[in-house]
Amino acid sequence: MSAPYTMRLCYLMACGVLVSLSARPVRAQGVVPDPNQIFSPVAMPTPVSAYRSGDGTPGPMAWKNQADYRIAVTLDPATHELTGEETVTYHNNSPSSLPVLWVQLDQNMYRADSRRAAMSGPAGAPHTDGMQIGSVTLMEGTATQEVTPLISDTRMQITLPHPLAPGRMQVFRVRWHYTMPGAWGGRTAVSPSKNGDIYEIAQFYPRMAVFDDVRGWDTLPYVGDEFYLDYGSFDYAVTVPASFLVVGSGALVNPAQVLSPAQQLRLAQARRSDTRVMIRDLADVEAAAHAPPAGSRTWRFHMDNTRDVAFVASPALLWDAAKLDLPPMAPAPGMKPEARLGMSVYPVEGVGPQAWDRSTEYVRHTIAYFSHDWYPYPWPTAINVGGHGAGMEYPGIVFDGMHDRDAKLFWITTHELGHTWFPMIVGSNERRNGFMDEGFNTFIDSLASLHFNNGEFAPKHDGEYAPDTGRPADDIVKVLRDPVYRPLMAPSYIPGRGDRHALPYFKAAYGLELLRSQILGPARFDPAFRHYIAAWAYRHPTPSDFFRLMESDAGEDLSWFWRGWYFTNAAPDYALAGLEYVGNDPEKGVRVTVRNKGTLPLPVTLQVTWADGTTTRRILPTEIWTKGNEAVVTLPGGRLVRSASLDPDHAIPDIDRSNNESTSVAPVAAGMGMVVARRNIMP
């Protein structure tokens, strides 16, 4: 847009435009837009408190609990069983005493008697025995006490002998094992490839539930959706057959014990290279496949300030890497500072010049773009895995498809790694408010597509965003008109109907684009959005916090937009209702009547095309509809009019464009000047 965004009436008058209003109600599809309802304040679901301020930032008494993990697991490829032991140090930073701890056992989703199984029916996910708990032991110094937990579906409750007081920590140890759920298994998978199975391992350890100031313990069961987790430090070890490569979240802290001398040299070279260096090449893979060495190896990783870890293990993986365009970061304990790495691991099925050969290029761009424009990437590595094709994100590592290529590989890489910022850094509750991670991330993905390689894969046009034509204002209309879709603020854990990407991905992302390009403008939106990320980094914002911060920083009352786009399924709908010369004399000006027929009155552009082919544009701001549903715009005279149109660039999702344009002008009898033909001007 060439003019400021959310224009005021004084601006229109300064441009020589007169706007008058009529309170006469206009009916459209049985609905009369009511300005009193459209512009009334929105009651935010989460109230302001000492923990959450009125400006949308954490309050003066804000707190967050912390969970630190030491984990050791062993993978048995013969049985697909994973056996593990972990020690958890849970820090109670809340003002509450906690008589119990809640732990998530996500693998129990695959039990035949789970809630997920009941929801999905016989054709659902494969069944296993779930996560079998061997023991739970409370630890206090050198004293230990074994306890019997209460297991309910995908949750485990540990009753403490004494409540955990504010400011104290509880250490406990858990031993467990489970069988991996097969070739798909939701967001964790075992997949065959030419040179061996690929194990994408996630949700593989008992994970602390979140205790927050909104609900206390948030114990929604896992039914195959996504997650809500606290932050902490992780030391984890993965023992696998010696022929396997393991790549996981965080920094590999024992490369000398698990990599060959040649691979160590290549890894060092990659830290100095802007283009990919093969760390594990085809010769290494073939050697592992045809003459696997006996015994096992243990790969050790460390990651700070993260809410989760995941890893991939296989003898079949190629591995390439290059340095990230980021400053070095504080190293893991016992390690020297080193350049950070973007990496890709994939089987030979993924090799190709427009396939996984370019993956690390996409990784480097995603991390650099998001870091430069929004918030710095926090971890030592960023890893793209070509495996089953789950399209799933974890801190520092994402699981994509070995057969992805061309624009699809770019878009999926950008999207999954983009989840670093939402929800890995900004830790919103994915199980309740999925639009705050999927939509916010998809929005930045669309900008990243424009940024990459002079728009090589722009505009973003996939199942997540603008899926039909690549024009979001047009593609979103069928979503806005279809009653099958619930509002964005509907709970994510309740299954919706219709296309699953339509709301939390597409509508949520396009809502931010409308806010940025049509309502606030980048000069106000971008700093506010950066502030939101920084203010809530490694914390747990709610939708209310986001709404408040954007309003406060951008200096705009956006109640009408939050209500229309997030709390309801309102949509804009404008019509040209009249086009005529003032007093039937072109010298006196042109009068254009515009009607608002929708309940989401976004700013709209009016374009008048003159007889000589030139055009004049005026932006009608949202505020003009506070007093009624009809506005008259008067443009200065002196020229003959050919036509007029609303939203000529399809910048907003007007749900009925059949009445947005006039027909050409026609002359009348001599001596009477020119009048505008009123054919096809819709009431």
Side-chain angles (χ1 to χ4, degrees):
M1 303 294 287
S2 59
Y5 300 81
T6 315
M7 314 294 286
R8 292 294 186 267
L9 299 183
C10 58
Y11 171 80
L12 294 176
M13 296 177 67
C15 292
V17 179
L18 176 63
V19 178
S20 61
L21 297 164
S22 169
R24 184 173 74 247
V26 179
R27 290 191 175 273
Q29 299 178 347
V31 175
V32 180
D34 181 356
N36 291 325
Q37 181 178 4
I38 292 171
F39 294 101
S40 63
V42 170
M44 296 296 179
T46 305
V48 172
S49 68
Y51 310 126
R52 298 172 187 271
S53 296
D55 66 352
T57 61
M61 296 180 65
W63 53 269
K64 57 176 181 174
N65 287 353
Q66 178 176 329
D68 301 324
Y69 298 84
R70 295 182 64 87
I71 305 169
V73 296
T74 299
L75 171 63
D76 184 352
T79 62
H80 288 187
E81 186 173 64
L82 188 139
T83 302
E85 177 180 317
E86 70 179 8
T87 299
V88 182
T89 303
Y90 185 70
H91 305 260
N92 181 19
N93 300 319
S94 81
S96 301
S97 292
L98 306 179
V100 300
L101 304 179
W102 279 99
V103 180
Q104 303 181 58
L105 307 179
D106 301 281
Q107 292 297 322
N108 281 1
M109 180 187 79
Y110 303 111
R111 290 177 56 93
D113 59 355
S114 71
R115 297 188 187 186
R116 171 60 177 175
M119 293 170 64
S120 58
H127 293 157
T128 72
D129 292 333
M131 189 171 278
Q132 301 295 300
I133 301 298
S135 63
V136 177
T137 305
L138 301 178
M139 307 168 72
E140 181 115 16
T142 58
T144 62
Q145 178 183 351
E146 189 162 335
V147 296
T148 300
L150 173 65
I151 296 176
S152 173
D153 197 56
T154 60
R155 292 83 47 93
M156 178 172 74
Q157 184 191 72
I158 302 173
T159 300
L160 303 176
H162 305 287
L164 181 60
R168 302 298 297 273
M169 64 183 183
Q170 177 67 60
V171 181
F172 63 94
R173 182 177 64 231
V174 184
R175 293 188 174 97
W176 78 95
H177 65 89
Y178 70 88
T179 301
M180 280 165 261
W184 167 227
R187 303 176 186 279
T188 183
V190 183
S191 305
S193 76
K194 179 180 177 181
N195 292 305
D197 287 344
I198 300 172
Y199 295 83
E200 298 166 70
I201 306 301
Q203 297 90 255
F204 66 95
Y205 60 97
R207 309 189 293 180
M208 288 300 304
V210 173
F211 183 86
D212 63 23
D213 63 282
V214 178
R215 292 179 180 82
W217 288 109
D218 198 305
T219 56
L220 280 176
Y222 182 51
V223 293
D225 44 18
E226 297 193 354
F227 312 111
Y228 187 38
L229 300 162
D230 268 326
Y231 295 89
S233 64
F234 285 72
D235 285 287
Y236 68 104
V238 181
T239 300
V240 293
S243 61
F244 276 46
L245 170 71
V246 179
V247 178
S249 302
L252 175 66
V253 298
N254 66 332
Q257 284 72 51
V258 294
L259 301 180
S260 70
Q263 290 169 343
Q264 294 177 60
L265 288 174
R266 296 168 193 162
L267 194 60
Q269 180 185 353
R271 295 187 189 277
R272 303 186 298 271
S273 177
D274 291 325
T275 57
R276 70 181 188 131
V277 174
M278 295 303 302
I279 311 302
R280 192 173 193 256
D281 58 20
L282 185 58
D284 295 325
V285 170
E286 290 177 344
H290 301 301
S296 62
R297 288 189 181 132
T298 298
W299 301 66
R300 301 184 184 279
F301 300 87
H302 176 85
M303 196 174 193
D304 284 320
N305 213 15
T306 180
R307 64 178 213 158
D308 197 8
V309 292
F311 66 90
V312 60
S314 177
L317 295 174
L318 301 163
W319 176 18
D320 71 56
K323 71 174 182 179
L324 294 172
D325 292 327
L326 299 171
M329 63 184 301
M335 298 185 68
K336 63 181 180 179
E338 293 180 309
R340 294 190 264 175
L341 287 171
M343 307 193 298
S344 300
V345 292
Y346 47 92
V348 294
E349 288 89 337
V351 174
Q354 288 299 319
W356 282 82
D357 290 15
R358 294 191 71 183
S359 169
T360 296
E361 177 188 1
Y362 304 155
V363 171
R364 295 181 74 245
H365 174 264
T366 300
I367 300 304
Y369 171 74
F370 277 64
S371 295
H372 179 269
D373 278 34
W374 303 105
Y375 188 86
Y377 186 78
W379 297 309
T381 56
I383 305 155
N384 196 15
V385 177
H388 178 85
M392 185 58 197
E393 70 280 358
Y394 298 92
I397 188 170
V398 299
F399 297 160
D400 292 326
M402 66 178 82
H403 299 294
D404 294 344
R405 48 208 358 94
D406 301 314
K408 180 180 180 180
L409 180 58
F410 171 81
W411 285 329
I412 196 71
T413 300
T414 302
H415 179 80
E416 302 308 338
L417 282 173
H419 274 301
T420 295
W421 285 262
F422 307 100
M424 308 306 169
I425 292 175
V426 180
S428 55
N429 189 336
E430 298 176 272
R431 291 196 182 168
R432 294 184 183 273
N433 305 116
F435 76 89
M436 295 184 72
D437 74 288
E438 296 296 357
F440 289 14
N441 175 29
T442 301
F443 160 69
I444 303 182
D445 297 344
S446 68
L447 300 178
S449 293
L450 297 171
H451 184 270
F452 177 73
N453 200 22
N454 297 314
E456 179 181 355
F457 299 119
K460 181 174 171 64
H461 176 201
D462 57 9
E464 298 167 351
Y465 191 78
D468 298 324
T469 68
R471 298 186 299 272
D474 295 338
D475 291 355
I476 199 69
V477 167
K478 69 179 183 180
V479 177
L480 298 178
R481 295 177 68 97
D482 191 338
V484 74
Y485 293 110
R486 304 174 303 162
L488 281 171
M489 288 291 288
S492 299
Y493 60 87
I494 299 176
R497 295 176 295 168
D499 177 67
R500 74 181 186 90
H501 286 105
L503 291 182
Y505 295 77
F506 184 18
K507 186 182 180 185
Y510 186 46
L512 295 189
E513 173 58 27
L514 288 171
L515 194 60
R516 183 178 191 261
S517 65
Q518 304 303 312
I519 300 171
L520 298 177
R524 283 195 289 167
F525 177 92
D526 290 2
F529 200 52
R530 291 187 193 106
H531 183 198
Y532 168 73
I533 298 172
W536 290 99
Y538 313 107
R539 295 181 178 274
H540 302 305
T542 68
S544 301
D545 300 311
F546 171 71
F547 298 149
R548 289 186 177 113
L549 190 148
M550 295 303 293
E551 285 194 339
S552 179
D553 275 26
E556 200 74 51
D557 184 347
L558 296 167
S559 294
W560 62 273
F561 184 66
W562 307 139
R563 173 184 290 105
W565 199 258
Y566 293 87
F567 290 86
T568 70
N569 284 330
D573 183 12
Y574 292 109
L576 276 174
L579 180 59
E580 58 190 354
Y581 294 122
V582 176
N584 204 31
D585 184 355
E587 295 298 324
K588 295 180 180 179
V590 177
R591 183 182 294 117
V592 185
T593 302
V594 180
R595 284 180 180 167
N596 174 40
K597 302 171 69 176
T599 49
L600 182 63
L602 292 169
V604 63
T605 297
L606 167 66
Q607 176 175 290
V608 172
T609 301
W610 307 103
D612 61 5
T614 61
T615 60
T616 296
R617 289 189 171 198
R618 296 291 182 260
I619 297 176
L620 280 61
T622 295
E623 286 79 3
I624 70 171
W625 309 111
T626 57
K627 294 183 179 180
N629 296 323
E630 189 170 282
V632 177
V633 179
T634 302
L635 300 177
R639 288 186 286 179
L640 302 180
V641 174
R642 177 183 299 171
S643 62
S645 63
L646 293 170
D647 189 30
D649 302 321
H650 289 217
I652 64 171
D654 191 317
I655 60 172
D656 180 6
R657 296 186 180 276
S658 66
N659 48 22
N660 283 19
E661 297 185 8
S662 73
T663 57
S664 60
V665 296
V668 295
M672 296 186 61
M674 301 283 287
V675 297
V676 179
R678 299 181 63 86
R679 298 186 301 274
N680 297 332
I681 299 176
M682 304 300 292

